[in-house]
Amino acid sequence: MDINFNYVHVTASERLEELVSKKLNKLENRYDWIVRGEVFFKTENTSSPETGMICEIKLSAPGQNVFASSNEKSFEMAITNTVDDITRQLQKKKEKMTSR
């Protein structure tokens, strides 16, 4: 799978890219119809210390694309929550595809 990383007001990080790549490659092994992914890392000025680090993932797949976003206090937590959301959406999509 081809993965594009985009950083908005964030310094590029190989560590974050490796973490996301590892998680998305696991999903690709399970759902071989995923074409490519786009990952966005953003920061947001916020008064709450519990938020501000945003991870958005969009996967291109047959039919409608899959998208999830999470706003947490660290990029690692945001990545984990976003990938969990993506996993649930892919499972639902797979169930719909097999029920036809």
Side-chain angles (χ1 to χ4, degrees), residues 15-16 41 49-55 70-81:
R15 185 178 58 84
L16 291 176
F41 292 109
E50 299 298 313
T51 61
M53 307 292 179
I54 302 169
C55 174
S70 184
N71 188 347
E72 299 292 336
K73 65 181 174 183
S74 73
F75 280 120
E76 290 80 5
M77 287 176 61
I79 290 167
T80 301
N81 290 344

Side-chain angles (χ1 to χ4, degrees), residues 1 6 13 26 31 40 52 57 59 73 75 81 85 87 90 94 97 100:
M1 170 177 30
N6 301 292
S13 167
K26 282 183 186 176
Y31 307 102
F40 293 87
I57 298 177
L59 297 180
K73 65 181 174 183
F75 280 120
N81 290 344
D85 288 348
T87 304
L90 289 172
K94 185 175 184 176
M97 290 170 72
R100 289 183 184 178

Side-chain angles (χ1 to χ4, degrees), residues 32-49:
D32 59 352
W33 33 265
I34 298 173
V35 179
R36 72 185 161 134
E38 282 207 59
V39 180
F40 293 87
F41 292 109
K42 302 176 182 179
T43 56
E44 172 182 79
N45 289 335
T46 177
S47 58
S48 170

